[in-house]
Amino acid sequence: MPANALNRICYVEDDEDIQRIVRMSLERVGGMTVEIVGDPMAAIARIRAFKPELVMLDWMMPGMDGPALFREMRATGDLKDLPVVFITAKASQRDLDELRAMGAAGTISKPFSPKELPDQLRAIWAALP
Amino acid sequence: MDFARTATAQAAARDLQQSADPRMVLADRVEHLFAQMPIAIGATIVAGIFATLELQGRWYTELVWYWGAIVLAYTAAATGLLVSYRRSPTRHADAEQWLRSIGIAALANGVSWGLAGAVFFRSLADDQQVFLSFLVAGVTSIGIPIYAASWPIFAIYAAGILFPFTYVLATLGSRLFFDIALLVPVLYAVYVGIAYRLHQVFASGYRLRHAYSKLTEDYSALNQRLGQQLVELEEARRQVEASGRKLALFAERSPIAVFEFDAHGIVLSANPAAETLFGYGAAELIDRTATETLFQTMGKADIARRWRELIRSRSPMFGLRAASTRRDGAEITCEWSLTPLVNAENRVISVIVQGRDITQQLEAERMKQEFTSTLSHELRTPLTSIIGSLQLINSGVLGDIDKDVLELTSIAERNGQRLLDLINDILDVEKIESGKLTLFPEPMQLSDMVAESLTLNRGFAERFKVRLAAEGELPAVRVNADRKRLLQVMTNLLSNAAKFSPEGSTIQVGIQVEAGSARVAVNDHGPGIPEGFRGRIFGRFAQADMSYTRQKGGTGLGLSICKRLIEMMNGKIGFCDRSGGGTTFWFELPVHH
């Protein structure tokens, strides 16, 4: 379990409505600091600049999907140990298992409850080594 | 050579004779003996009358008359024996007994002559003695043809005549008579020897007769069987021909493509459906290889390996999918079944390959999957926004809202959730039906799961003003089940119970462990299940009354999903009426040890 409480989160998501709901949920309900990235192609640079403690990735995005971005982060030296949580509406259990095997910290299925999302993330955070 | 052939022939004759039934041979011999009996009786009467008249000697005159009467009595008894033999329906079966009777009769006959010889000889004049000797020799000799079918009978007959006579001759005091007495036993032995030989000839003759008649019987039975077999063979040939015609007709009219390949994978024949499927005439398909026609896209090595396996195992292969190109260039995918035909020597004579075009079916499957995926993603994403927004508003984190607005946003959230449940249920049904639903069973405490389900559904039950409670202390029992799916089942059962329970009532959930299975029961105080609905309650889109749907919510898929999920976990699900009113829904899972 990491020593500090979870605070800085970066969320890569193309749907603007969901961006807003997640921002409100994490900021208002969870009291966290949130950076939203709409374009997955720009995600690496924005994550590097924001220095989050945890990254949330949408699964299906135009240009580059969540798993592809995750693989790229794993291949990037300074981002490879960053905890990643997937938010997805369609992944099969096998896909999720595969992501876990690749090192994803957790998965949250859509639709999620904005009331509970901060707690779900804190639970994943607490389970980290 | 000749000797060998003769020996062989003799052996064959011996075998043949031995095939005769000895009981039937005996019956024939007895029959022969009785057939001779009238001669014996006639001869006895004639000889008896002559003897009675001629043997009036110096003394014993009355005794001669008595003797004549005895002989007559004997002939009467013998005639009676003959008549009763002729009349007996079981005379052949009882042949042995009749043989004994005729033996006794022969002994009596012999003794009567022996008596005459022994008693009267001394009292007779010389010429009378010659007559008596002649008579004795005569009746002895005549016994040979009469009793020849059984030498022991002749032997006792002749012994009865000759031995008393011999004794008298030997003790008469005359040297000449003494010499004759010495010769009589020799004569007796010679006679018995002749009778013995005759007996053998008779027995052999009768044996041959029976063997021959048996052979004839066998032969005619054989002939009959052969005829029958010929008829059956002809019938079988006709059936084979008819089924051949039927098969040809099946292949010709079948909508399924049928090919016949030889064991090396060369086309021998193709039916009209195969011609239509590939756009080639049968004449163009014949002599081409399986790789050129049916399995173009499969690797040559792969198809060669599968073909070898098919020929080696001689067992049919089903569901082989392969893409081929039609004559017009269109790509089609077919599903084939391959059946090797094996002859009596277990050699593969040909391989029947039947198949159909599944291109459209595959396309339909792909579209259905795409549709499901779209339903899943494209409907859930906007629902995430809708429900998420409403939850944030209703939770109050954004500040206080007007009471009327809150009521409306709560309705919107609840119905958004209902829409989401419907989508999830439809996706579950689709997954279950396409066999894509995978369970992740793990050993778990059933009571923990039940307690968790009560906590999770308490909020929902409160909306119907219903309480959820565990029935006493839940016993600890482990089951091997998918925790998430089991919670889904519990949520379904609890929400159904809550929807139909009267306000203020309590739904009690209990666990019973019995005979290796753990039963979870959800007991409500609802109105019970209507009679007409009981049979289809676990069916799809099952609802007792459509008006309930509007009133209570729900898709009517919940229980059918529960049933499938519980069955996939090797369990059972059902319901029963409660004695005090209300219904119990239960499911059982095997206890995990």
Side-chain angles (χ1 to χ4, degrees), chain B residues 280-583:
Chain B
Y280 294 100
E284 293 171 283
L285 289 167
I286 287 168
D287 286 343
R288 292 173 69 184
T289 63
T291 28
E292 284 172 328
T293 49
L294 309 189
F295 312 115
Q296 294 156 349
T297 54
M298 293 176 71
K300 271 201 170 143
D302 185 31
I303 186 64
R305 183 182 56 76
R306 279 167 187 261
W307 192 270
R308 272 200 305 275
E309 176 59 24
L310 181 82
I311 301 296
R312 191 194 59 74
S313 71
R314 288 146 168 74
S315 56
M317 191 186 283
F318 298 103
L320 181 64
R321 288 184 177 187
S324 321
T325 312
R326 288 168 49 97
R327 180 178 227 156
D328 60 13
E331 287 282 337
I332 51 168
T333 306
C334 299
E335 193 172 73
W336 300 103
S337 65
L338 292 77
T339 314
L341 293 182
V342 177
N343 66 7
E345 285 86 49
N346 203 26
R347 279 171 55 97
V348 175
I349 43 175
S350 65
V351 177
I352 300 295
V353 178
Q354 295 155 300
R356 62 197 177 89
D357 185 356
I358 56 163
T359 317
Q360 284 180 356
Q361 183 192 328
L362 291 178
E363 179 62 14
E365 274 170 23
R366 194 189 60 77
M367 280 173 70
K368 191 179 167 197
Q369 252 169 13
E370 211 164 69
F371 174 75
T372 311
S373 155
T374 304
L375 190 73
S376 168
H377 185 254
E378 300 305 326
L379 292 182
R380 276 178 198 231
T381 303
L383 267 177
T384 307
S385 300
I386 295 169
I387 299 173
S389 301
L390 292 167
Q391 274 186 347
L392 279 174
I393 295 168
N394 297 342
S395 68
V397 292
L398 306 176
D400 289 337
I401 334 158
D402 180 75
K403 190 171 152 281
D404 290 342
V405 175
L406 184 63
E407 199 180 322
L408 290 176
T409 49
S410 297
I411 292 171
E413 185 197 334
R414 204 159 57 234
N415 282 283
Q417 193 63 47
R418 241 172 96 174
L419 193 56
L420 182 66
D421 290 345
L422 175 63
I423 292 167
N424 286 341
D425 279 358
I426 290 173
L427 286 174
D428 275 349
V429 168
E430 202 279 328
K431 270 195 221 159
I432 287 170
E433 287 193 348
S434 62
K436 287 204 185 93
L437 185 85
T438 319
L439 295 186
F440 297 91
E442 49 177 345
M444 51 178 256
Q445 268 300 340
L446 192 58
S447 53
D448 288 353
M449 190 282 299
V450 169
E452 189 182 346
S453 75
L454 293 179
T455 310
L456 286 175
N457 289 284
R458 209 148 261 150
F460 183 83
E462 275 164 12
R463 270 177 33 203
F464 294 90
K465 299 190 172 57
V466 173
R467 265 168 41 79
L468 302 182
E471 208 169 52
E473 185 148 336
L474 298 176
V477 56
R478 285 164 75 77
V479 293
N480 192 35
D482 184 317
R483 183 179 192 84
K484 227 175 95 185
R485 292 297 183 177
L486 214 49
L487 277 172
Q488 184 181 346
V489 172
M490 279 307 291
T491 299
N492 248 296
L493 298 184
L494 289 173
S495 60
N496 277 347
K499 282 181 212 169
F500 294 100
S501 286
E503 283 186 12
S505 66
T506 301
I507 295 165
Q508 290 199 307
V509 181
I511 298 179
Q512 289 140 27
V513 185
E514 213 170 76
S517 77
R519 171 189 278 232
V520 177
V522 176
N523 308 299
D524 67 37
H525 292 91
I529 314 293
E531 197 56 48
F533 181 52
R534 290 170 177 249
R536 56 192 174 90
I537 191 164
F538 289 106
R540 282 163 55 186
F541 297 107
Q543 268 165 341
D545 182 344
M546 284 311 280
S547 63
Y548 273 126
T549 317
R550 269 167 235 132
Q551 195 189 326
K552 309 282 186 183
T555 59
L557 289 170
L559 284 178
S560 86
I561 294 170
C562 290
K563 182 168 172 10
R564 294 304 303 270
L565 289 175
I566 291 294
E567 283 171 356
M568 283 174 80
M569 291 183 242
N570 302 320
K572 280 192 291 193
I573 190 166
F575 66 91
C576 52
D577 291 330
R578 297 180 69 194
S579 51
T583 307

